[in-house]
Amino acid sequence: MPEANDISVFPVAPEGLGFGEGEISYAQRTNSEIDNIEVDKVIDVITDPGKILIEIDQEVGEYIDDDGCGDGRGVTDDDGRVVYIKQGDKLYKKSLNRAKVFGGGPTMALAAEIAVSATQPENVTSAFESAMAMLDDHDIDYGAHTDEHAGEINSGCGAIDNAPLIIANAVKYQRLITDTIRALIPDVDAMVLDEVIESYESFSDEIKDKEYRGQVIMNSIDSREKVIKQLVKGHQEMFVLLNEVENYTVNQFAVRDASKESIQVFAVDLWRLHSINSRLYEDDEIRDKALLSQLVYTLATSATLTDGTLPVFRIQQIKRSASSYL
C-alpha cells in the first residue's frame, strides 16, 4: 500500500450532493435513529487511509480483474455466515476484495456507450447485452450482486433494477449533475458534457414505457459464470466514497465493523472506470467522453437511491495530479 501520508482523504460535498429522491438518507438517520458516536467512529475510519483502503485480492500473482457494485451491504449475516457467493454452478465461502463501481462493469460499460456509441440500442435490456458483449470481447472481467429480496422482476442491485429511472433522472437532474461534475473536474469540456447529457435525453425518450426487468440482466450475467454475491437486506449507507488509489478499494467491512453494523458506505473506484475505458476505447477523446457519461450515470444513481444528504469524500494519492482519474 502507498504510504498513508501519501494519501489524502477529504470531503468534496460535506453536506451531500443536495439532490435526490431516494429513501437512503444521512439527514433522516442522524435526526432520529443513529447514535452520533457511531457516526464519529465511522468518520475516523473514513479519514484514515490505513483503515479505509484495502488492496484488491490477487490470484496467481495478478490482481483479480473482477468488479462489483459499490453497494455498502455485507455478504454475511450477523453470525458471520456467508449468504452465498456464486460463479456458475459453484458456491464459494470466501468474499474476495474487488473493484467497485455502481452496478459493476456492465452498468458502467452501458453508461459509456450511451454517450459514445454510434448506434442507439432499442431498449435497456439490449443496451446491457451489448455492453456485456463488449466487455467479453475485450477480456474485461466483471461481477455483480443480488440480495435477499431479488425475485422474478428485480436483480437485487439498485443500479441495474432502476436503470430506466436512473437514465431519466440523469435528464431530470442534469443541471445539478453537470454542476457537480464541473466541481469535481474544473477543466471539464463543457461542450462534451452537454453532448453527454443530450445522449441521455435521446436514450431516455427512446426507452420510455418499454418493458424492463433487472432480473433478466442478472440472469445474463449468471449465464456467463461471473461471480455474483448475495448481499444481506437493509440499506444503511450514510456516506459516498470516491477512491482514486489504483488497485485498492474501500474497506466497507471496516465501516460496518466500527459502527457495529449500523452504518454502511457507498464506494466508487474511479480508477476502475479509467481501466475499463482504456481497454474498450483507443481514442483519448472517446475515453474522456465515456468517463463523463459514467459519472453522469453514477450521480443519477445517487439521485435515484438517496435523498442527496450523504456526505461525499474523495480519496487521492497526493503524488498524482488531481485530474489523474477525473
Side-chain angles (χ1 to χ4, degrees):
M1 177 178 179
E3 294 292 332
N5 57 9
D6 286 339
I7 297 173
S8 176
V9 185
F10 56 97
V12 291
E15 297 182 359
L17 296 175
F19 60 94
E21 58 192 46
E23 296 180 356
I24 301 173
S25 173
Y26 177 94
Q28 290 183 13
R29 296 197 69 204
T30 52
N31 288 334
S32 57
E33 63 190 73
I34 199 72
D35 190 329
N36 285 334
I37 295 176
E38 302 302 327
V39 175
D40 290 341
K41 288 180 179 178
V42 166
I43 292 176
D44 287 342
V45 171
I46 289 174
T47 54
D48 184 339
K51 294 179 180 178
I52 197 55
L53 290 180
I54 190 166
E55 191 170 15
I56 300 297
D57 276 307
Q58 298 185 32
E59 290 183 339
V60 198
E62 298 285 341
Y63 289 110
I64 56 174
D65 186 30
D66 180 20
D67 60 34
C69 185
D71 191 310
R73 294 174 291 172
V75 295
T76 58
D77 63 16
D78 293 337
D79 297 324
R81 177 182 60 84
V82 172
V83 179
Y84 77 65
I85 301 164
K86 184 173 183 286
Q87 184 174 22
D89 294 329
K90 301 176 182 177
L91 292 178
Y92 295 88
K93 291 190 175 182
K94 183 178 181 181
S95 179
L96 296 179
N97 294 302
R98 57 185 180 176
K100 306 179 185 84
V101 290
F102 280 173
T107 305
M108 289 296 100
L110 175 149
E113 283 292 288
I114 288 175
V116 306
S117 178
T119 58
Q120 192 174 78
E122 295 181 357
N123 53 57
V124 175
T125 301
S126 62
F128 266 111
E129 289 295 341
S130 176
M132 285 186 281
M134 284 182 58
L135 293 172
D136 295 340
D137 289 344
H138 289 80
D139 294 322
I140 301 173
D141 201 5
Y142 51 89
H145 78 78
T146 181
D147 68 13
E148 296 171 300
H149 296 302
E152 294 182 0
I153 297 177
N154 293 329
S155 71
C157 174
I160 292 176
D161 290 331
N162 295 289
L165 178 58
I166 290 168
I167 293 163
N169 279 342
V171 179
K172 177 179 179 180
Y173 294 104
Q174 61 180 283
R175 182 183 64 80
L176 294 165
I177 288 174
T178 54
D179 285 350
T180 301
I181 292 175
R182 289 190 181 102
L184 291 171
I185 316 173
D187 60 349
V188 66
D189 189 320
M191 185 177 296
V192 174
L193 185 54
D194 287 344
E195 290 174 359
V196 170
I197 294 297
E198 289 172 4
S199 296
Y200 273 85
E201 290 176 334
S202 176
F203 192 39
S204 182
D205 288 341
E206 176 67 26
I207 64 175
K208 189 176 181 180
D209 299 326
K210 290 186 177 179
E211 182 180 356
Y212 171 76
R213 290 186 297 149
Q215 185 57 46
V216 172
I217 310 306
M218 189 59 61
N219 289 342
S220 185
I221 296 172
D222 188 20
S223 71
R224 290 167 160 85
E225 297 193 345
K226 302 299 182 181
V227 174
I228 299 173
K229 301 180 182 183
Q230 179 173 304
L231 306 187
V232 298
K233 61 184 178 182
H235 279 286
Q236 296 176 317
E237 291 91 352
M238 293 182 67
F239 299 88
V240 180
L241 276 61
L242 307 177
N243 171 47
E244 298 186 51
V245 181
E246 191 171 0
N247 295 325
Y248 284 80
T249 190
V250 172
N251 189 344
Q252 292 168 303
F253 170 80
V255 171
R256 296 192 299 268
D257 186 55
S259 65
K260 299 179 182 178
E261 299 292 335
S262 64
I263 297 175
Q264 302 161 357
V265 295
F266 285 118
V268 179
D269 290 317
L270 297 173
W271 61 266
R272 176 63 177 178
L273 300 179
H274 175 79
S275 174
I276 290 173
N277 295 338
S278 67
R279 295 155 70 182
L280 287 180
Y281 310 109
E282 295 182 359
D283 185 87
D284 286 341
E285 291 184 0
I286 297 297
R287 291 173 179 174
D288 291 344
K289 193 172 188 178
L291 176 61
L292 289 179
S293 193
Q294 290 162 338
L295 291 176
V296 168
Y297 195 101
T298 297
L299 293 169
T301 301
S302 175
T304 304
L305 302 181
T306 84
D307 65 354
T309 64
L310 280 66
V312 181
F313 284 76
R314 192 167 175 177
I315 308 172
Q316 283 185 331
Q317 199 164 341
I318 296 171
K319 293 182 180 180
R320 288 184 176 271
S321 68
S323 60
S324 293
Y325 295 115
L326 282 185

